[in-house]
Amino acid sequence: MNDFWVVYDQASGEELYRGSGAAGAGGYQTLQEGTALVVVPMEVVRLPVLDLDVLRNVLVNRIDNTAEQVRSRFITALPAQVGTYVLKEAAARAWLADNTASTVMLQPEATARSMTLEQLASEVITLADHWSKLSGAIEGVRFAAKARIAAANTVGAIAAAAVVNWSDLDAPAS
């Protein structure tokens, strides 16, 4: 498998030249001051004019995949587990509002953890509220990056728009 890359002027964002080599070779290129390199799929460089739409699509997909990895730092991001979280939150809110509501989603866990239903329901809601804030923050970062990518019109501007500092996201404090 080969790497393909574009070296661009950091000030203008314009392409200076292209290159290709063995997988990982892009990382070993020596760049002149004021230049940068972005590794791209072959489809971006296959024609005389860079296909910036392909580059945008690739980088948007990377943003989405990275957002999912960030989410996975805080929750078990499996479809069935995410559904379980939603059901548990709904059950906890319903039970706290009316303690005659069904407890089939809560009682087995409360028993296994030696907790009262009230303790578990409170914990579930607290975690759900924290997750809601964090999830909203992740979505804000994700969509801001996607908007920057869409608005960028040079290879350098697109590459710069895709740089996201996900480390700023952490679990919200209680």
Side-chain angles (χ1 to χ4, degrees), residues 92-104:
R93 291 187 190 283
W95 188 83
L96 284 177
D98 173 9
N99 66 7
T100 65
S102 173
T103 60
V104 297

Side-chain angles (χ1 to χ4, degrees), residues 69-113:
Q69 292 170 359
V70 171
R71 286 184 194 100
S72 295
R73 290 180 7 214
F74 304 102
I75 65 168
T76 304
L78 299 171
Q81 188 62 48
V82 171
T84 299
Y85 293 150
V86 171
L87 292 172
K88 280 175 54 175
E89 178 187 1
R93 291 187 190 283
W95 188 83
L96 284 177
D98 173 9
N99 66 7
T100 65
S102 173
T103 60
V104 297
M105 279 302 298
L106 302 173
Q107 189 62 60
E109 182 178 343
T111 300
R113 295 177 61 199

Side-chain angles (χ1 to χ4, degrees), residues 5-145:
W5 60 83
V6 177
V7 174
Y8 59 91
D9 180 83
Q10 288 181 306
S12 69
E14 296 296 330
E15 173 188 2
L16 298 173
Y17 61 91
R18 304 169 190 195
S20 65
Y28 294 104
Q29 301 306 303
T30 303
L31 301 174
Q32 295 179 346
E33 188 174 329
T35 66
L37 177 147
V38 61
V39 175
V40 299
M42 180 190 66
E43 294 78 17
V44 173
V45 295
R46 66 183 164 82
L47 299 174
V49 175
L50 293 176
D51 192 335
L52 298 180
D53 288 334
V54 170
L55 180 59
R56 283 185 191 93
N57 289 336
V58 166
L59 295 178
V60 161
N61 285 333
R62 282 186 196 162
I63 295 291
D64 289 341
N65 289 331
T66 304
E68 190 63 17
Q69 292 170 359
V70 171
R71 286 184 194 100
S72 295
R73 290 180 7 214
F74 304 102
I75 65 168
T76 304
L78 299 171
Q81 188 62 48
V82 171
T84 299
Y85 293 150
V86 171
L87 292 172
K88 280 175 54 175
E89 178 187 1
R93 291 187 190 283
W95 188 83
L96 284 177
D98 173 9
N99 66 7
T100 65
S102 173
T103 60
V104 297
M105 279 302 298
L106 302 173
Q107 189 62 60
E109 182 178 343
T111 300
R113 295 177 61 199
S114 300
M115 299 174 82
T116 66
L117 280 172
E118 184 173 0
Q119 289 169 325
L120 179 61
S122 295
E123 177 183 283
V124 166
I125 291 169
T126 297
L127 290 172
D129 289 347
H130 286 199
W131 171 244
S132 182
K133 291 175 190 171
L134 179 60
S135 185
I138 291 168
E139 287 297 276
V141 170
R142 185 172 77 92
F143 277 97

Side-chain angles (χ1 to χ4, degrees), residues 156-169:
I158 294 168
V163 174
V164 176
N165 183 0
W166 296 99
S167 66
D168 289 344
L169 297 172

